[in-house]
Amino acid sequence: MLMTARSTLRPATDSAVVVRAPGRLHLGFLDPSATLGRRFGSLGLVIDDFDTVVALRRDTRNHGEAQDGPAAQEALARASSHVATLQRAFGLADTPLHLQLLQLPPAHAGFGSGTQLALAVGRAFASLHGLTLATPEIARLLGRGLRSGVGIAGFDQGGLLLDGGTADDGVPAPLLARMELPSAWRVLLVLDPSRHGLSGADEKTAIATLPAFDRASAAAVCHEVLMRVLPGAASDDFALFAEGVSAVQRQVGAHFAPAQGGQLYASPAVARLCEWIARQRVAATGQSSWGPTGFAVLPSEADAEAVVAAARAAGMVDAALQLRTVSARAHGASIEVRPSL
């Protein structure tokens, strides 16, 4: 279908549109088995790190650039396919483009890299051609947001996000709530570069073969989100927030554990550290999406530093792990027009 929505924003022909999209953590589903008709429903948090940065400009032929390495080249192939899809959708196949992937987060690690890449490419394409496209429409065109809507909403707004799950109409899940975490709170990320979370066909197969998430479990998760997680964030009640997120993670993690060898975490080393933190401190702990990245939300930078120091002193940080402390991000993607790169 040829689409023609347009706006007045059209960069000069020798300019590049650069889009920086934020990483996000997926904190849990509300109702994976659609006990009330809408499936999934997601709680997510946008973070101020692990950005995806793409640049797009006009050229004499379609081509792309990315860093060396299989992960970057895989991302480039996917991004180039998104460009081709958009060119066909808008009748612009005769307008060649040069795509550059300037920065990428780890793939299949729990940061929503696939969705953010698609949305960044789509937003750059729309800006370059003066197209008025809402982010959910970009997601629909590029096949994103089929389960979670927090990556789409996070691209636009940042923050702590709750969506209402998907129906059968292919429309991304509606955003139900959005708020900012207190500025002092920090997120300790626990990365295991030696492992990858499920994705693609493996993810679909895993979800299809899991047992049903019963209505009582879905109700318990919704209760935690509505009466602990969101009120805790809104009222700067860290303990309430932490208890709620951790409870959601335990409940939902138990449901998805059969796809992870019967464990709540994809990485034993990440599990060891996150579970140790949960025993030592009041913290919101768990795994983002299929992992392997784990997280511990803590009330301050000083608390995060103290936890890391104590964990290292106790021998709880495996040599394979990478630790990084980040803030929650209260805004979405940025768009910039630069002279040709």
Side-chain angles (χ1 to χ4, degrees):
M1 177 176 66
L2 180 65
M3 306 184 71
T4 59
R6 293 193 177 271
S7 74
T8 58
L9 173 60
R10 296 200 67 177
T13 56
D14 60 347
S15 298
V17 175
V18 180
V19 178
R20 178 179 292 270
R24 66 97 182 102
L25 302 180
H26 194 280
L27 304 182
F29 287 123
L30 304 185
D31 188 358
S33 298
T35 60
L36 290 176
R38 296 189 70 88
R39 196 173 186 195
F40 299 117
S42 295
L43 180 69
L45 177 66
V46 180
I47 56 173
D48 201 19
D49 205 341
F50 295 93
D51 292 352
T52 297
V53 185
V54 308
L56 198 64
R57 62 176 172 84
R58 295 179 180 84
D59 209 337
T60 57
R61 62 187 178 90
N62 276 332
H63 63 120
E65 295 179 46
Q67 294 179 348
D68 292 334
Q73 292 304 310
E74 177 187 342
L76 179 60
R78 191 182 311 120
S80 298
S81 174
H82 293 328
V83 170
T85 295
L86 293 166
Q87 287 175 320
R88 289 192 299 271
F90 291 96
L92 294 167
D94 59 349
T95 305
L97 299 173
H98 180 201
L99 170 68
Q100 291 174 281
L101 305 188
L102 303 177
Q103 183 177 321
L104 296 169
H108 315 309
F111 296 113
S113 59
T115 294
Q116 297 310 303
L117 179 63
L119 297 180
V121 169
R123 181 56 63 214
F125 183 93
S127 296
L128 193 67
H129 293 95
L131 303 172
T132 301
L133 281 179
T135 302
E137 178 62 9
I138 294 173
R140 187 192 66 78
L141 286 167
L142 299 180
R144 307 305 304 185
L146 300 179
R147 283 180 287 277
S148 172
V150 295
I152 298 168
F155 181 90
D156 281 340
Q157 303 182 52
L160 177 69
L161 304 159
L162 177 69
D163 77 52
T166 57
D168 295 326
D169 54 7
V171 176
L175 181 65
L176 302 182
R178 185 262 177 199
M179 61 186 62
E180 298 178 13
L181 289 191
S183 60
W185 295 8
R186 293 293 182 267
V187 185
L188 173 62
L189 298 173
V190 184
L191 294 89
D192 184 347
S194 70
R195 293 177 177 264
H196 291 93
L198 292 176
S199 63
D202 291 338
E203 180 183 16
K204 291 179 182 178
T205 299
I207 290 175
T209 55
L210 287 171
F213 195 70
D214 61 81
R215 188 166 179 172
S217 297
V221 170
C222 291
H223 197 183
E224 293 288 347
V225 171
L226 189 60
M227 299 309 292
R228 278 182 165 175
V229 177
L230 297 184
S235 61
D236 200 357
D237 186 335
F238 180 78
L240 188 67
F241 173 86
E243 290 163 2
V245 170
S246 298
V248 169
Q249 282 282 314
R250 289 192 297 270
Q251 189 91 20
V252 177
H255 172 69
F256 286 96
Q260 297 183 153
Q263 305 300 314
L264 300 187
Y265 291 82
S267 163
V270 172
R272 182 169 174 256
L273 178 54
C274 288
E275 290 169 356
W276 181 86
I277 293 172
R279 293 192 298 269
Q280 304 299 313
R281 302 280 182 125
V282 175
T285 57
Q287 173 179 281
S288 178
S289 187
W290 291 105
T293 300
F295 63 85
V297 185
L298 294 151
S300 70
E301 183 82 27
D303 283 287
E305 291 173 355
V307 164
V308 171
R312 292 194 186 280
M316 300 306 298
V317 182
D318 189 280
L321 298 181
Q322 296 176 0
L323 307 183
R324 191 176 305 180
T325 300
V326 302
S327 302
R329 177 164 165 158
H331 60 91
S334 64
I335 306 170
E336 180 185 358
V337 178
R338 300 180 187 171
S340 247
L341 302 177

